[in-house]
Amino acid sequence: MLRSLQDRSDFRADISTLHRITTLKEVARGGEACEEIQVSGGLRIDKISHQDQIGQTPDHTRIKDPGAIAPLFERLRTKVLACVKCPNLVASRHSVVFGTGNPSAELMFVGEAPGADEDIQGEPFVGRAGELLTKIIETMGYQRSEVYIANVLKCRPDMPPGSSGNRQPTRTEMETCLPYLREQIALIQPKAMVALGATAMRGLFGKEAPMNQMRGRWHFFSSIPVMATFHPSYLLRNQALSVKRKVWEDMLQVLEKLGHPISEKQKNYFLAR
Ligand code: URA
């Protein structure tokens, strides 16, 4: 597929697409270093367009072939499952939680790190917060299996012996793991993403701002629009209707961005009567 693109003199790509192509090539070669894409050999680079800056990934630059993505995705999964970069996490983990869902999804959710349930089951968002996330996804009109769900960190942050609960991933842990999420995103090429909570935002963007400032707005990760919203665990702790409505309004913006019709019923969820 990549070779055929290089042979097409009329193929136009923006910078982010070229990054994605390079990542595809790296994954195809099992992650080893590879030469940069031949810019002169048939590929023309446009300067980053205005569209890029406002995060509308132009459809003509999308190369989505599920048949081609599947083996690359499996190769990436194998690499990530064998990761031993963080000795403390390797020593404490039961599983590496790669991600779940459709590798060709138009919508991707990104959380912070696996908790105890996810560590045992090897799947993100399967605990109480996960149940709530699944409800949100279904209320948006998707099956959980139609979207993709991953975390910034693929291993559960270790806890001191004898203590329960979860801790937030450190900045170093997130920086170490971020390349895997980048590769996942490059393969999936979602049209939009949702960042769940402040830690996911910090992991993706290095942003430290309070959630109240970041949520409800589009942020851009390699030109992919990312909606920031509250983490489902926060919703479990704070049952106020007004907070649920905020998250729902964020999801309505996502549906709008993806061009999905929004029903009257969907519009009216969590409105005070
Ligand atoms: N919280 C997260 O951020 N990710 C999970 O997978 C589970 C809970």
Side-chain angles (χ1 to χ4, degrees):
M1 180 184 72
L2 295 172
R3 203 163 294 124
S4 73
L5 279 176
Q6 272 177 306
D7 291 343
R8 278 181 47 189
S9 59
D10 61 337
F11 178 76
R12 295 167 71 81
D14 61 15
I15 295 287
S16 67
T17 304
L18 289 176
H19 282 314
R20 286 200 285 265
I21 291 172
T22 307
T23 304
L24 284 171
K25 288 180 73 179
E26 279 175 8
V27 176
R29 289 163 190 226
E32 75 211 29
C34 63
E35 85 276 15
E36 280 301 306
I37 202 97
Q38 270 290 320
V39 173
S40 56
L43 281 175
R44 282 186 290 157
I45 309 178
D46 285 346
K47 286 209 185 91
I48 294 181
S49 60
H50 176 62
Q51 261 194 323
D52 220 347
Q53 289 165 21
I54 61 167
Q56 305 279 338
T57 307
D59 267 351
H60 69 273
T61 64
R62 293 189 169 279
I63 314 152
K64 269 216 165 183
D65 175 355
I69 298 300
L72 300 179
F73 213 70
E74 283 318 300
R75 192 175 292 196
L76 176 60
R77 184 197 302 276
T78 304
K79 181 172 81 175
V80 175
L81 294 192
C83 180
V84 288
K85 284 186 196 168
C86 306
N88 54 320
L89 304 187
V90 174
S92 64
R93 75 188 179 202
H94 291 95
S95 45
V96 177
V97 182
F98 177 71
T100 188
N102 176 5
S104 301
E106 64 175 7
L107 178 58
M108 180 166 177
F109 290 81
V110 178
E112 57 179 71
D117 295 321
E118 290 76 18
D119 178 48
I120 297 293
Q121 295 188 40
E123 182 171 332
F125 284 99
V126 289
R128 280 184 68 222
E131 278 171 25
L132 181 52
L133 177 63
T134 304
K135 266 192 204 152
I136 293 171
I137 290 168
E138 289 174 353
T139 311
M140 291 173 80
Y142 294 98
Q143 294 298 307
R144 183 175 155 107
S145 58
E146 289 177 305
V147 301
Y148 200 83
I149 306 173
N151 286 306
V152 176
L153 205 67
K154 308 300 186 208
C155 295
R156 182 183 183 214
D158 57 332
M159 297 293 290
S163 57
S164 59
N166 297 313
R167 72 160 169 85
Q168 286 187 355
T170 64
R171 184 174 280 275
T172 305
E173 286 166 346
M174 289 200 287
E175 280 169 5
T176 305
C177 215
L178 188 62
Y180 295 143
L181 182 63
R182 274 189 192 285
E183 288 188 46
Q184 285 176 304
I185 294 169
L187 289 169
I188 296 168
Q189 295 179 49
K191 289 186 190 158
M193 300 201 286
V194 176
L196 299 163
T199 309
M201 284 299 285
R202 198 178 316 129
L204 281 168
F205 299 102
K207 289 188 183 177
E208 289 284 357
M211 259 333 265
N212 265 323
Q213 278 171 29
M214 293 189 288
R215 67 144 285 273
R217 293 182 19 224
W218 291 106
H219 307 257
F220 299 101
F221 189 88
S222 304
S223 90
I224 299 171
V226 181
M227 173 56 61
T229 197
F230 293 119
H231 194 284
S233 308
Y234 177 74
L235 288 184
L236 291 173
R237 291 195 304 272
N238 186 337
Q239 295 282 337
L241 192 66
S242 59
V243 178
K244 291 183 184 158
R245 178 66 196 177
K246 280 180 186 158
V247 171
W248 186 241
E249 279 170 5
D250 300 343
M251 297 308 102
L252 291 179
Q253 283 201 64
V254 172
L255 289 176
E256 204 180 344
K257 174 74 86 188
L258 293 172
H260 288 262
I262 297 170
S263 68
E264 277 307 304
K265 192 173 167 194
Q266 281 177 317
K267 266 184 214 156
N268 294 330
Y269 276 128
F270 307 116
L271 282 179
R273 284 166 230 283

